[in-house]
Amino acid sequence: MRIALGIEYDGAGYFGWQRQREVRSIQQELEASLSIVANSPIELQCAGRTDAGVHATGQVVHFDSPVERKMAAWTLGVNANLPKQIAVRWAQPVSDDFHARFSAFARSYQYKIYHHPVRSSLKADYYLWEPRALNVDDMRSAAALLLGEHDFSCFRGSLCQAKSPIKTIDHIQIDTIEDELILNIKANAFLHHMVRNIVGTLLKIGRGEKRVEWMSQVLEGKDRKKAGPTAEPQGLYFMKAFYEEI
């Protein structure tokens, strides 16, 4: 029986999603708790791997269970054995050909920036702190240039394993709420570090270091070295994976 789960987690203190030796990972904690409920080893597949320090509100995973359990066991029962930074939000049976990664036709992320001259201790693990003045209108204009299908090689991390750098961004928006900047982005798929590299590039434009038109030059250049730096991980959140089935 194949089960899909919706997961949220606080990535601070974890070395990302993927199971690794001798370090804490989200996958390791979830698999250990699921295996207790199933009384059998469980292996997970996720919609999108997240790096160390990155958070998720709508991560989706699937696994094949060798035993029958009520859906409540896969939520309340699993949560009882998880650390407080990780929680299963929902569970449901899916078809045998459902795959958390390959069945998703789109994904969305959010990036949070704390825009204030003085740092916040409470937001340190959940926002990028930016104390300098920002022209948000210029950042929005530059972000709009990324909409549609493009070769996003300029935002591709060196460890990216995607077969193609061509992706389609359906939505990108920057909102301001008091001293916060919130970037929401949705695409059919993302390259490794793509969102963080986009944010790093937008910040150079927001600070006035580059003009809005520079974004088009970066995109057309298809060269990672010509874009902005990779923004820090703690501001990034995996928000949602989109499926036909669930």
Side-chain angles (χ1 to χ4, degrees):
M1 184 178 187
R2 183 158 292 187
I3 305 293
L5 304 176
I7 311 294
E8 68 177 19
Y9 50 85
D10 175 348
Y14 288 86
F15 283 77
W17 162 264
Q18 192 169 4
R19 186 192 323 107
Q20 303 174 60
R21 293 183 179 179
E22 299 180 358
V23 296
R24 298 179 75 198
S25 71
I26 305 297
Q27 182 181 15
Q28 177 185 356
E29 297 286 359
L30 276 166
E31 287 179 343
S33 183
L34 284 162
S35 297
I36 292 172
V37 173
N39 196 29
S40 179
I42 295 293
E43 292 189 7
L44 292 171
Q45 300 291 331
C46 73
R49 297 175 183 174
T50 52
D51 292 328
V54 176
H55 317 290
T57 62
Q59 177 71 272
V60 176
V61 303
H62 84 262
F63 64 96
D64 292 319
S65 173
V67 294
E68 292 278 348
R69 294 284 188 267
K70 293 181 179 180
M71 291 302 109
W74 300 125
T75 53
L76 302 179
V78 172
N79 284 340
N81 296 294
L82 282 171
K84 65 180 182 179
Q85 297 88 357
I86 308 171
V88 179
R89 300 293 297 167
W90 54 262
Q92 73 174 71
V94 289
S95 61
D96 290 343
D97 60 355
F98 174 86
H99 194 286
R101 178 184 175 188
F102 300 117
S103 297
F105 64 83
R107 296 164 177 81
S108 64
Y109 284 84
Q110 187 173 90
Y111 196 94
K112 297 184 178 183
I113 298 171
Y114 178 54
H115 187 214
H116 194 280
V118 179
R119 68 177 179 86
S120 167
S121 61
L122 296 179
K123 294 184 177 182
D125 286 334
Y126 308 104
Y127 291 74
L128 169 70
W129 174 44
E130 177 50 70
R132 290 162 285 192
L134 294 174
N135 187 323
V136 181
D137 287 336
D138 279 357
M139 294 174 68
R140 289 180 176 130
S141 297
L145 298 173
L146 302 176
L147 287 168
E149 183 180 87
H150 300 282
D151 181 330
F152 286 104
S153 294
C154 58
F155 300 127
R156 184 174 190 165
S158 59
L159 300 178
C160 184
Q161 298 178 351
K163 294 181 179 179
S164 171
I166 298 175
K167 308 297 176 188
T168 302
I169 293 181
D170 302 313
H171 172 83
I172 185 166
Q173 181 174 327
I174 301 173
D175 296 314
T176 57
I177 305 172
E178 296 182 350
D179 52 10
E180 298 178 5
L181 268 65
I182 309 296
L183 180 142
N184 287 287
I185 183 169
K186 178 184 176 184
N188 64 335
F190 289 87
L191 303 169
H192 187 230
H193 284 175
M194 180 171 163
V195 178
R196 291 167 59 191
N197 291 337
I198 287 174
V199 171
T201 303
L202 288 172
L203 284 171
K204 289 183 73 69
I205 293 170
R207 296 179 194 125
E209 299 170 14
K210 297 288 185 178
R211 297 175 64 85
V212 171
E213 296 77 14
W214 178 62
M215 181 64 83
S216 294
Q217 298 170 14
V218 168
L219 198 58
E220 293 166 4
K222 303 176 185 178
D223 184 349
R224 174 70 193 97
K225 295 178 181 178
K226 294 181 178 179
T230 304
E232 296 173 14
Q234 72 275 12
L236 185 61
Y237 296 73
F238 186 107
M239 299 300 291
K240 187 175 181 179
F242 297 81
Y243 304 92
E244 297 291 349
E245 184 172 346
I246 60 175

